Amino acid sequence: MDNLLALPIGTELAGDYRIAKVLGAGGFGITYLAEETPLNRGVAIKEYFPSDFAARENTTLVRSKSRGLDEDYRWGLDRFIEEAQALATFDHANIVRVYRYFRQNNTGYMVLKLEDGVSFKAWLDKLGRRPLQAELDAVVAPLLDALETIHARSFLHRDIAPDNIMIRPDGSPVLIDFGSARREVASHLSTMSVLVKPGYSPAEQYAQDGRRQGPWTDIYALAATLYHAVTGRRPADAPGRMQRDELVAAEFAATQGVYRTGFLQAIDAALRLAVEARPQSIAEWRKMLLHSAHTVAPPKPQRAPAATAKASAQTRKLEGGDEPKPFRLKPKPKPAPEPPAPMAAINAARALADAAPRPAMPKPLPKAPTRSQMSTFIGAMTPLAAAALVNARAGAKDAFNWLQQAMPRKVAEAPRPERPRGLLDRLADTKSEPTVLAPAAKPVIETDPETRLLRAAAVTPAAAPTPQLPAVIPQPKPKVASSDSLLGRLKQTMQGFVLRAAIAAAVVGALISVELWGPAVGLPVPHASLLGGSDVSLIRALRGHAVGIDAMTVTSDGLIASGGADGQMLIWNAKTGEQLRSILAPGQQVTSLASSEHVLLAGLSDGSLGLWQMDTGEKLGAFNEHDGPIWGATFLSGSKLFATVGQDTKVRLWDSSRGARNTWSDHKRPVFAVAYSAHRRLLATAGADKTIKLWDERKRRLIRTYTGHTEDIRAVAISPDGQILASAGNDKTIILWSTTSEAPLKTMIGHANRIVSLDFSPDGRMLASGSEDGTVRLWDAATGALLNTYEGHVKAVRAVAFLPDGHKLASAGDDMTVRLWNAQIGGYP
């Protein structure tokens, strides 16, 4: 809202208050810092000013914009005063205090205690890490007491989110900015803008009436806030989850071992879509959050896709198909279902591992295991051992060292292939059938390491046999003849269940975090068959983000820029791993990045664009014509011309000196990806309409439209010579196209979840893909053969990019880490 609509500085209200400055403004009102002159203290004053149908006259008087809106304006004013009256009755240390309310200037005012502190969102950002369990408990317990007090008066907050919880200097929280009146006005006027907060509002708040809202509504919103705290990302919007629920449970998305298991499961229980499935009162939820044990007690919310009959039933309920329960009536408790079989296996394994003594291990060897050794051992692991890995990490390192002594050391090298010919020649020599990975290469799903290994090991619901724990691990013989004899030795010596779990944890730990007890750099991760002379090791991991990384770009001289949901962009030196500087876009999520000549272009979640000088952090310009998030951005020629695509379905071409110069509206749904070929001046765009459009940037016209994907397209890339176009998306498929025809050249299949990023190597011979399954895959761009799979990320990979030399590959994602890999494949200079 424009501050010109606010009261002038120095305005006096009710004879006791003098306006000092504007603190904030929204669609429902304006908040001021004011001085209460009789008591010589600062206060916050909220003014009723619905910007959609209110205007100001003579600097102070407020009126409706037209006579037809008079009734709506007065009705909303009455709701504002009613909320002030209700809040004034609360005398709770963790609920914002209302000193006074009054009518003046044909509007209403609410005088609030001026709270000293920062928002919960700013508090999380300031920590620079995930909050500890004790820190969250100190915040959650008072908030639960405050909400219980509110609900006891048949009142709801309706707008709990990280920016509506203040953290005082002493660490205590306070609830501010209640949304009950806003919800009443929004319902009355059929507007949604002041009704919901994406990610934090449950599905019932998207319904036009509030009949199905109750304490469970605030419980969902607070759970979403806690999910943000423990994972670094807010949950997906409730309507989207109703169609396809891909929310990763907090139990798996949060850092393992930092939070109580019951605490995380309580968050998951409160985030269930169905109203009846959530805790129905604060008292019920408090027991789960603050008084739960580490073992699994309540049923874990399922993560099955919601595009089913169940989702349709939930949707019908939201549309009024079922009569809601009275606000004060607590539903009869339902018997808790049995936990899913895999979770039951994990619980049993945890109990056994906790009760067993730790076995003795021989001394470690200095040499790290080879990839063949890892693969041999993984084949010998049992599903039951995989299920127990969480509680077996205490003895994992020693078990891993013992395994080194038992493994054969000689690994046969694959023959070096002949040097391939040109890319188009090689494409012409290959068939167009999809390239599908062999069944042995099990895809990695987007979840935590426990679930990933459980799926790979194919855990069955059958009851686990009672393990027999040996007192001491048998010492391995000095020589091992073959892998088969090794497997036999493993079966004989690893009779103990805890030993299997310990070794499983060691191997998985090595795959996920090679820095834990392997060498700091240079340790290869498991991958597909590589050509002789290949190096696909991890070079380094760059850590500095406090939230997941959504976008990344690489400059022509090897700088890396990354950004995420907190609006922070970090600039890195890829050669040294040094963080050079931080650039901040306050209050926004960085949704796309591009760079040229050390100028950084950032697309933001509110539809605005920013240009920054990467060397100094100086802001060079800002633009705002998109309506909604900008999902893709790319420079065209130099650092003056660029293109952007976004939620509003528009493709916009910009000149930094003049703003938007062209807008194309050929896409009918949101556009998620854009790529540019400077060699042939071609622009490719793709999105939710399942099409890729190829544009002639010079002539400003559409050349052709490609169709072939069955779901939304999330990524596009053009080879450096401008001859090959790659696309990928929700159908987990990569398709290669010629820029001179509409027929597909090659189809590659292998990722286990949707693909959200693509990049060609500088010579155009390799293609990298990043997926929400947590892996990065390296492909031969001509044959479609899989060259390597990088599995260092533990969560979704959001961006991949080759460095200028073509021998290194950068990736970034939800685990808040930028990883730099060697990408040297034998025969690919």
Side-chain angles (χ1 to χ4, degrees):
M1 180 184 296
D2 191 339
N3 285 344
L4 293 175
L5 299 178
L7 290 169
I9 304 302
T11 300
E12 292 192 358
L13 295 174
D16 292 333
Y17 308 99
R18 181 179 293 109
I19 300 297
K21 70 174 183 178
V22 176
L23 292 177
F28 189 68
I30 305 174
T31 303
Y32 305 91
L33 173 65
E35 179 188 5
E36 188 173 8
T37 51
L39 298 178
N40 192 28
R41 67 177 179 181
V43 295
I45 296 182
K46 182 180 290 188
E47 179 185 41
Y48 171 69
F49 193 100
S51 57
D52 289 344
F53 50 94
R56 197 179 297 280
E57 257 184 17
N58 300 324
T59 70
T60 57
L61 187 65
V62 181
R63 59 172 178 78
S64 61
K65 290 183 177 179
S66 65
R67 291 186 177 180
L69 295 172
D70 283 349
E71 183 178 350
D72 292 333
Y73 176 83
R74 289 193 298 270
W75 189 90
L77 176 59
D78 290 341
R79 304 291 82 73
F80 177 87
I81 295 298
E82 287 175 4
E83 179 178 90
Q85 290 172 334
L87 291 177
T89 64
F90 295 127
D91 186 10
H92 193 284
N94 305 106
I95 302 174
V96 63
R97 182 70 183 276
V98 176
Y99 289 140
R100 180 181 176 184
Y101 57 90
F102 56 89
R103 295 177 186 251
Q104 188 177 331
N105 298 328
N106 196 37
T107 187
Y109 296 92
M110 192 186 309
V111 182
L112 307 165
K113 179 182 179 181
L114 186 63
E115 293 288 353
D116 184 21
V118 298
S119 69
F120 185 68
K121 181 179 184 300
W123 180 73
L124 291 174
D125 293 341
K126 187 177 180 181
L127 281 178
R129 56 169 171 78
R130 297 287 173 269
L132 302 177
Q133 182 70 73
E135 292 171 326
L136 280 181
D137 286 345
V139 171
V140 171
L143 289 179
L144 294 179
D145 292 341
L147 284 175
E148 196 166 37
T149 299
I150 294 169
H151 295 167
R153 306 272 188 91
S154 299
F155 199 76
L156 296 176
H157 188 288
R158 287 194 173 109
D159 198 21
I160 297 174
D163 53 354
N164 285 339
I165 299 172
M166 294 288 292
I167 305 297
R168 301 183 179 109
D170 63 0
S172 62
V174 57
L175 282 172
I176 64 170
D177 204 12
F178 283 64
S180 289
R182 291 199 301 276
R183 199 255 170 256
E184 295 292 336
V185 174
S187 176
H188 182 73
L189 300 177
S190 301
T191 62
M192 300 294 291
S193 60
V194 295
L195 174 60
V196 297
K197 188 157 290 186
Y200 302 101
S201 297
E204 63 266 22
Q205 280 193 268
Y206 286 81
Q208 197 58 49
D209 61 69
R211 293 183 305 164
R212 292 183 60 79
Q213 295 185 40
W216 46 87
T217 303
D218 284 344
I219 288 173
Y220 182 102
L222 182 53
T225 300
L226 296 177
Y227 185 96
H228 181 171
V230 300
T231 68
R233 297 181 66 85
R234 67 173 175 81
D237 298 351
R241 292 182 60 200
M242 295 292 292
Q243 298 302 315
R244 182 172 181 174
D245 192 0
E246 296 181 340
L247 181 68
V248 180
E251 184 181 359
F252 299 131
T255 304
Q256 298 298 314
V258 176
Y259 306 104
R260 291 188 303 274
T261 303
F263 180 83
L264 296 177
Q265 291 175 341
I267 294 175
D268 294 332
L271 287 176
R272 292 170 184 162
L273 292 170
V275 166
E276 298 81 0
R278 294 178 219 146
Q280 299 294 294
S281 69
I282 294 295
E284 178 184 350
W285 196 38
R286 183 189 285 110
K287 294 178 182 178
M288 302 167 65
L289 267 177
L290 302 181
H291 305 298
S292 56
H294 282 267
T295 55
V296 180
K300 185 173 72 69
Q302 301 298 305
R303 293 183 57 242
T308 59
K310 179 181 178 180
S312 301
Q314 292 171 339
T315 305
R316 287 195 298 272
K317 290 180 181 180
L318 284 178
E319 294 174 350
D322 296 335
E323 190 66 25
K325 298 177 177 62
F327 181 83
R328 291 180 179 273
L329 183 61
K330 180 177 178 180
K332 295 181 179 179
K334 299 179 180 180
E338 292 295 325
M343 286 309 302
I346 289 177
N347 291 339
R350 281 174 174 159
L352 287 170
D354 285 340
R358 179 176 173 177
M361 296 289 177
K363 295 182 179 180
L365 288 180
K367 183 175 176 62
T370 64
R371 293 189 294 271
S372 176
Q373 292 168 349
M374 288 184 180
S375 300
T376 302
F377 172 71
I378 291 172
M381 285 197 320
T382 65
L384 194 56
L389 64 90
V390 176
N391 279 54
R393 288 175 180 162
K397 183 175 180 180
D398 293 334
F400 191 84
N401 289 322
W402 172 82
L403 180 64
Q404 288 180 315
Q405 296 179 342
M407 289 296 184
R409 300 196 177 277
K410 187 173 181 180
V411 181
E413 292 188 353
R416 182 187 295 268
E418 296 182 2
R419 181 182 178 88
R421 295 176 291 155
L423 181 58
L424 286 179
D425 294 332
R426 297 167 65 210
L427 278 166
D429 293 340
T430 60
K431 298 179 179 180
S432 60
E433 288 81 4
T435 300
V436 184
L437 297 185
K442 296 180 181 297
V444 182
I445 61 172
E446 178 199 357
T447 182
D448 75 318
E450 290 181 44
T451 306
R452 185 180 300 179
L453 189 58
L454 283 172
R455 297 282 182 91
V459 175
T460 63
T466 303
Q468 301 295 323
L469 180 69
V472 180
I473 299 175
Q475 295 290 335
K477 295 180 180 179
K479 295 182 180 180
V480 179
S482 66
S483 296
D484 292 336
S485 63
L486 173 61
L487 294 178
R489 291 276 313 286
L490 286 172
K491 292 178 181 178
Q492 294 173 6
T493 58
M494 296 194 304
Q495 298 293 322
F497 175 74
V498 176
L499 175 59
R500 294 181 192 151
I503 299 177
V507 174
V508 174
L511 302 185
I512 295 169
S513 181
V514 299
E515 304 91 344
L516 187 58
W517 55 69
V521 296
L523 177 63
V525 295
H527 51 78
S529 297
L530 292 175
L531 306 177
S534 299
D535 184 0
V536 290
S537 59
L538 176 69
I539 300 173
R540 61 176 53 89
L542 309 178
R543 295 183 175 89
H545 284 280
V547 299
I549 301 170
D550 294 312
M552 180 180 66
T553 183
V554 174
T555 67
S556 59
D557 58 353
L559 296 185
I560 299 175
S562 53
D566 57 358
Q568 185 181 42
M569 293 163 278
L570 300 182
I571 313 299
W572 311 86
N573 184 323
K575 293 182 180 179
T576 64
E578 177 187 4
Q579 181 181 317
L580 302 178
R581 64 188 46 81
S582 172
I583 300 173
L584 188 64
Q588 295 301 322
Q589 177 179 354
V590 178
T591 50
S592 57
L593 286 173
S595 60
S596 177
E597 300 174 357
H598 279 216
V599 173
L600 182 64
L601 169 65
L604 305 176
S605 56
D606 65 349
S608 64
L609 287 163
L611 287 170
W612 284 269
Q613 176 58 246
M614 296 176 68
D615 296 329
T616 63
E618 176 189 2
K619 190 167 187 178
L620 304 177
F623 309 92
N624 191 355
E625 290 198 23
H626 277 283
D627 183 12
I630 298 175
W631 298 123
T634 183
F635 280 98
L636 303 179
S637 299
S639 59
K640 301 294 184 183
L641 305 178
F642 49 92
T644 56
V645 298
Q647 187 71 21
D648 59 2
T649 75
K650 301 296 190 295
V651 179
R652 299 185 189 273
L653 273 61
W654 304 78
D655 184 326
S656 61
S657 62
R658 295 186 298 165
R661 57 175 184 168
N662 287 92
T663 301
W664 297 328
S665 304
D666 294 63
H667 285 283
K668 304 306 178 186
R669 298 192 65 191
V671 188
F672 296 130
V674 60
Y676 181 69
S677 168
H679 183 74
R680 298 185 60 187
R681 297 187 66 176
L682 297 175
L683 188 73
T685 58
D689 58 5
K690 307 173 188 176
T691 67
I692 309 107
K693 297 188 182 294
L694 189 65
W695 310 82
D696 186 324
E697 185 258 328
R698 289 171 294 187
K699 298 180 180 180
R700 306 288 192 271
R701 66 181 181 87
L702 180 65
I703 300 175
R704 63 181 51 83
T705 298
Y706 302 91
T707 58
H709 286 279
T710 58
E711 297 186 43
D712 296 1
I713 302 171
R714 295 280 173 171
V716 291
I718 304 179
S719 62
D721 61 7
Q723 298 184 47
I724 304 299
L725 171 66
S727 60
N730 291 8
D731 58 6
K732 312 169 193 175
T733 300
I734 302 172
I735 302 179
L736 299 182
W737 317 80
S738 169
T739 56
T740 59
S741 68
E742 295 181 2
L745 300 172
K746 182 66 61 178
T747 301
M748 291 103 83
I749 301 172
H751 280 290
N753 208 328
R754 60 185 184 184
I755 304 166
V756 294
S757 183
L758 294 170
D759 192 37
F760 279 99
S761 61
D763 62 4
R765 300 178 63 189
M766 293 188 291
L767 178 70
S769 58
S771 167
E772 291 185 352
D773 65 7
T775 69
V776 177
R777 295 182 185 263
L778 200 59
W779 309 84
D780 185 305
T783 66
L786 178 66
L787 300 176
N788 188 51
T789 299
Y790 299 97
E791 296 183 348
H793 289 278
V794 296
K795 296 182 181 179
V797 177
R798 301 291 175 188
V800 295
F802 279 95
L803 268 66
D805 62 7
H807 298 314
K808 299 178 183 65
L809 177 67
S811 60
D814 288 357
D815 59 2
M816 304 176 288
T817 304
V818 177
R819 293 182 180 268
L820 194 61
W821 311 89
N822 276 310
Q824 300 183 55
I825 308 297
Y828 292 76

